[in-house]
Amino acid sequence: TFTNPALLWYAKGVGAMMSRALNDQNSWWFFAAIHGQYLPGTPNAEPQFPGWQAIPPVPAVPTTPLPTRTVMDTFWDQCQHQSWYFPPWHRGYLIALEAQIRQAVIALGGPATWALPYWNYLGPDTQYEIPPAFTQSTLPDGITPNPLFVTARYGPKNNGDIYIPIPPVSGACMSNNLYTGSNAATPRPGFGGPQTGFSHNGNVSGNLESNPHNQVHVDVGGNAPNGQTWGLMADPGIAALDPVFYLHHANID
């Protein structure tokens, strides 16, 4: 809950980043597009959902102003999936996001030691449920909109109940002892995946990426009850718009 100061300051830092324009390289929207995007006027534009112009608020996702084409080509659509680089690329991405939010936290009077928290959905008791701080529409003052709240989260049963079903989600990959390849303790293609080049869209998920990473994304995002749209976390081109994305990836890291 928001009695956890790391989560409260995360919300305030996210709010500060969300207040910035899409073409601001320190904005929430720009950072989400680094992972992946479906914005009108870009090579990855989608004419309908999950195009960013079709995402239901909250949050209200901007689609303009776009950065220059050179900036987009340099920074956007960089996430590494089904690639040897899945773990190290996302580590660097988390470090960059954490640094931006820490600057915002400090500017708001928060602790200089703030660090990105993680969601340990494989932990004891009810930790498989999404942290309550992400389900409240306002901050503790009862007035300020909660930047961690997202409408397009539908859960594993597509009914708005957000939790991680355990099993099949598990930490079994932590028994692997090969990053690439297989042995008695490590199924193919290995903990980190097959040896690949840098690739935004690969072919084979490593064991960590397959479970729990991929399954948690799908379980949190889910599908809308009408069956016509899906939650932000369910697609790489919209996933990083959801603030819970980074707590999931901090846990993966």
Side-chain angles (χ1 to χ4, degrees):
T1 68
F2 280 127
T3 59
N4 181 330
L7 279 177
L8 182 58
W9 283 111
Y10 179 53
K12 292 179 178 181
V14 170
M17 290 183 69
M18 284 183 171
S19 71
R20 300 167 185 160
L22 171 62
N23 64 347
D24 184 334
Q25 294 185 26
N26 298 324
S27 75
W28 184 257
W29 324 110
F30 192 99
F31 261 82
I34 290 173
H35 189 266
Q37 55 80 32
Y38 302 130
L39 274 157
T42 70
N44 282 356
E46 292 279 346
Q48 55 190 7
F49 198 87
W52 282 27
Q53 76 282 359
I55 294 171
V58 178
V61 177
T63 56
T64 58
L66 291 175
T68 66
R69 181 60 184 270
T70 298
V71 169
M72 289 191 288
D73 289 346
T74 301
F75 293 109
W76 285 8
D77 301 308
Q78 296 296 317
C79 71
Q80 298 296 291
H81 286 284
Q82 298 186 318
S83 160
W84 186 96
Y85 290 95
F86 165 73
W89 185 90
H90 283 83
R91 171 169 288 185
Y93 185 51
L94 291 178
I95 290 170
L97 186 278
E98 181 181 62
Q100 289 297 325
I101 294 184
R102 185 183 294 118
Q103 288 182 6
V105 166
I106 293 170
L108 291 168
T113 55
W114 181 89
L116 189 66
Y118 60 94
W119 175 20
N120 182 18
Y121 33 76
L122 295 172
D125 302 322
T126 59
Q127 290 189 60
Y128 63 89
E129 298 175 348
I130 192 169
F134 289 83
T135 65
Q136 310 301 312
S137 60
T138 63
L139 293 181
D141 62 12
I143 301 172
T144 307
N146 177 13
L148 307 186
F149 177 76
V150 165
T151 302
R153 285 188 201 120
Y154 303 112
K157 293 186 176 179
N158 307 323
N159 61 0
D161 184 11
I162 315 301
Y163 67 94
I164 307 304
I166 300 170
V169 178
S170 80
C173 65
M174 296 305 293
S175 65
N176 294 180
N177 58 20
L178 283 181
Y179 192 88
T180 296
S182 64
N183 60 14
T186 311
R188 290 186 183 280
F191 179 81
Q195 187 171 348
T196 66
F198 210 56
S199 174
H200 184 52
N201 297 296
N203 295 308
V204 180
S205 292
N207 299 334
L208 171 68
E209 184 178 9
S210 179
N211 188 1
H213 169 266
N214 290 353
Q215 296 198 39
V216 170
H217 267 282
V218 173
D219 286 333
V220 171
N223 287 282
N226 62 15
Q228 296 177 357
T229 60
W230 54 92
L232 298 182
M233 282 280 282
D235 188 287
I238 52 178
L241 291 164
D242 189 335
V244 83
F245 170 99
Y246 298 96
L247 271 68
H248 167 38
H249 271 276
N251 194 48
I252 291 294
D253 193 75

